[in-house]
Amino acid sequence: MLKVLSVFGTRPEAIKMAPVLAALAAMPETFDSRVCVTAQHRGMLDQTLRLFGVVPDYDLDVMTANQTPSQVAAAVLLKLEPILKAEHFDWLLVQGDTTTTAVAALAAFHAQVKVAHVEAGLRTYDLGQPFPEELNRRVVSLIADLNFAATVDAQKNLLREGVDPRRIVITGNPVIDALRQMLRLPMPADIKALLDGGSGNGSAAKPKLVLVTAHRRENFGRPLANICAALKTIAREKEVHIVFAVHENPNVRGPVREILAGVRRLTLTGPLDYLSVVHLANAAHIIVTDSGGLQEEGPSLGKPVLVMRNVTERREAIAEGVARIVGTETETIVRQISRLLLDEEAYLSMSKRVDLYGDGKAGEKIARSLASHELKMVEPRGIEPLTS
């Protein structure tokens, strides 16, 4: 039996780890599966744990007001070390590219516990975008004994960096597993009421829904103000209903509510649970976001995705033509949203349903791969000596 500790701390990690945890639990003869949450994001994490019925075995509870990545890293290292020392796990499983992910992998390395990385190989090759995620995922790739890449593109990134191909398994992304699970559940009553309410302008025709999320650290300040200005322009000029799910980070919540509160045809919500986000995305005409998850989910739902970033590590959707990078300049965002609202041909070209990031069975593939993997068959990792 393999003793596995899954460590995560934010809502996106919890969403993508939930199908993996379910697959591990379905193999009790193979896995002694434990869950450790860091609570890097407390409220949004707990919301997701309840939704998927995940009960942690360990809760590090590291979140503090206005925390910095360094503070999170220090707290996770300090609190995770005694657990790893006492329990003697065979594997530590992490997901994605958060501070929790990188630091948990480092703690496992220190404790000589093997590391498996879910959603390995994402790259922008720009350490500032996204910050600090690009560095985090590269650090984990140096540590990981087993890399679960969602796509061939991610696999190629790892191979390009010298990762042994026997340490890479293409599994798809478990976010598609989670998405399909949520679509089988009924729409929450408050989301149905929100959609039925529309823009509140008394029109018989239901306006087109534009779902917006924005939370990236590199978009704090002027970029976020530009985004808000663009949304205000669209809400004033077009027959739309914009729903902006506002992140609880004060660097997001404060400016968004200051600029957009009270704007007609625009609804600001607090952080929504994943079930609500999925049903809103499925009902949306357009998704406008800087989120990684929605870039993966949008194509599976057949929804055009406008990416409010300068670069993206999810190039498959860009190459397929179902997502487009629009940056954070107000005029560009307005122009690209308007194009999809007014140009039917442009909209149809981006609204085709394609499963670029998995078949909904990633969790099972990850569990089976972990069960069958024999690291003793792979030569010890090392650094090639410099030659003269």
Side-chain angles (χ1 to χ4, degrees):
M1 181 174 287
L2 294 172
K3 196 170 182 179
V4 179
L5 181 66
S6 299
V7 182
F8 52 92
T10 67
R11 181 176 74 168
E13 290 169 275
I15 291 167
K16 294 180 178 183
M17 285 297 289
V20 180
L21 297 176
L24 295 176
M27 300 172 67
E29 73 288 349
T30 303
F31 295 109
D32 176 4
S33 175
R34 313 282 182 87
V35 175
C36 174
V37 298
T38 67
Q40 180 177 332
H41 294 163
R42 179 80 270 174
M44 296 170 75
L45 172 69
D46 291 346
Q47 189 182 71
T48 308
L49 294 176
R50 289 191 296 270
L51 178 63
F52 286 97
V54 175
V55 179
D57 299 282
Y58 311 95
D59 190 335
L60 306 188
D61 195 25
V62 304
M63 182 175 173
T64 59
N66 296 315
Q67 63 193 4
T68 66
S70 294
Q71 290 168 339
V72 172
V76 171
L77 272 178
L78 184 65
K79 293 188 175 186
L80 187 55
E81 182 181 46
I83 297 172
L84 296 177
K85 187 177 292 185
E87 294 290 347
H88 305 291
F89 291 97
D90 296 297
W91 286 94
L92 183 136
L93 198 56
V94 291
Q95 189 282 324
D97 47 28
T98 68
T99 299
T100 284
T101 300
V103 175
L106 179 60
F109 177 75
H110 290 162
Q112 296 187 307
V113 175
K114 294 190 292 290
V115 174
H117 186 199
V118 177
E119 200 182 48
L122 293 180
R123 297 291 186 271
T124 64
Y125 293 105
D126 180 342
L127 290 179
Q129 299 185 78
F131 177 87
E133 289 84 0
E134 177 69 10
L135 178 64
N136 289 340
R137 55 198 176 208
R138 290 206 222 173
V139 167
V140 180
S141 294
L142 290 171
I143 297 171
D145 298 279
L146 191 52
N147 299 271
F148 297 120
T151 65
V152 171
D153 193 52
Q155 178 197 42
K156 288 178 180 177
N157 290 336
L158 294 168
L159 292 173
R160 192 179 299 119
E161 294 167 13
V163 176
D164 190 314
R166 290 169 293 181
R167 297 180 184 272
I168 307 170
V169 183
I170 299 177
T171 61
N173 195 313
V175 76
I176 305 302
D177 306 27
L179 174 71
R180 294 185 179 185
Q181 180 182 345
M182 293 298 104
L183 288 172
R184 291 192 291 268
L185 300 177
M187 179 183 292
D190 57 340
I191 298 303
K192 187 175 187 304
L194 174 64
L195 295 177
D196 289 343
S199 64
N201 61 5
S203 172
K206 185 173 288 188
K208 293 175 179 176
L209 176 66
V210 179
L211 175 63
V212 179
T213 70
H215 71 279
R216 290 285 178 191
R217 189 177 297 268
E218 62 267 27
N219 281 346
F220 291 175
R222 180 177 173 272
L224 184 58
N226 290 346
I227 290 167
C228 291
L231 297 177
K232 181 183 285 189
T233 298
I234 292 293
R236 287 175 172 173
E237 296 180 358
K238 302 291 188 292
E239 283 294 323
V240 294
H241 180 199
I242 298 173
V243 175
F244 192 159
V246 183
H247 197 282
E248 62 184 2
N249 188 304
N251 293 292
V252 176
R253 185 180 64 240
V256 168
R257 295 198 175 276
E258 181 179 345
I259 298 171
L260 295 178
V263 174
R264 187 167 168 262
R265 299 195 186 102
L266 194 153
T267 300
L268 302 179
T269 75
L272 299 172
D273 66 28
Y274 184 56
L275 178 61
S276 298
V277 172
V278 167
H279 279 285
L280 278 173
N282 197 36
H285 191 69
I286 307 168
I287 296 170
V288 185
T289 187
D290 62 10
S291 161
L294 280 168
Q295 289 180 63
E296 296 153 347
E297 294 151 345
S300 286
L301 296 171
K303 307 298 178 177
V305 180
L306 299 180
V307 183
M308 297 184 295
R309 294 168 57 182
N310 296 316
V311 294
T312 182
E313 55 284 274
R314 290 154 174 96
R315 292 183 289 269
E316 298 87 354
I318 304 298
E320 188 68 25
V322 294
R324 175 170 295 181
I325 296 173
V326 299
T328 58
E329 294 299 323
T330 299
E331 290 184 3
T332 304
I333 297 171
V334 170
R335 183 171 63 252
Q336 293 296 336
I337 294 176
S338 298
R339 173 175 171 268
L340 291 178
L341 291 172
L342 301 174
D343 185 336
E344 185 176 0
E345 184 176 342
Y347 181 80
L348 290 174
S349 71
M350 290 188 68
S351 59
K352 54 188 176 183
R353 183 186 180 281
V354 285
D355 288 322
L356 300 174
Y357 297 101
D359 59 4
K361 298 180 181 179
E364 298 172 23
K365 293 175 184 176
I366 288 167
R368 289 200 304 267
S369 180
L370 199 60
S372 63
H373 192 72
E374 287 290 345
L375 279 181
K376 64 185 179 183
M377 297 177 63
V378 182
E379 292 83 358
R381 290 172 296 164
I383 299 174
E384 291 294 324
L386 294 174
T387 56
S388 57

